[in-house]
Amino acid sequence: MVNLLISQLRLLIGWEVGMAALAWLLIPLVAAIGAGVWGSWANRTRRARSDGPELDGYARFRKAMEKQH
């Protein structure tokens, strides 16, 4: 699909090499923007919630494992 886009750009504009390079540079740009958006979305709950509940659960687990039967 990208090759089709690049070939169409060559036909529309005479600057074949420059436009092809710009079209290929758009791919990492879009990927970087997508990674930034995904990273922001994935990190959205870490600010609101600390590690408290997980550490409390681990402390209860250790206490239960240390008990003598």
Side-chain angles (χ1 to χ4, degrees):
M1 180 160 171
V2 175
N3 287 334
L4 179 63
L5 174 66
I6 292 171
S7 66
Q8 292 299 322
L9 286 174
R10 284 187 206 170
L11 294 176
L12 294 174
I13 299 173
W15 304 319
E16 295 176 6
V17 176
M19 290 305 293
L22 286 176
W24 280 108
L25 286 174
L26 284 175
I27 296 169
L29 178 66
V30 170
I33 291 170
V37 168
W38 179 83
S40 298
W41 178 78
N43 198 27
R44 72 193 183 285
T45 59
R46 293 189 187 267
R47 289 185 213 120
R49 194 179 82 182
S50 66
D51 289 334
E54 287 85 3
L55 292 177
D56 292 340
Y58 180 67
R60 286 193 308 271
F61 171 75
R62 283 185 46 196
K63 189 175 180 181
M65 293 306 286
E66 290 173 355
K67 286 184 180 178
Q68 296 292 330
H69 287 57

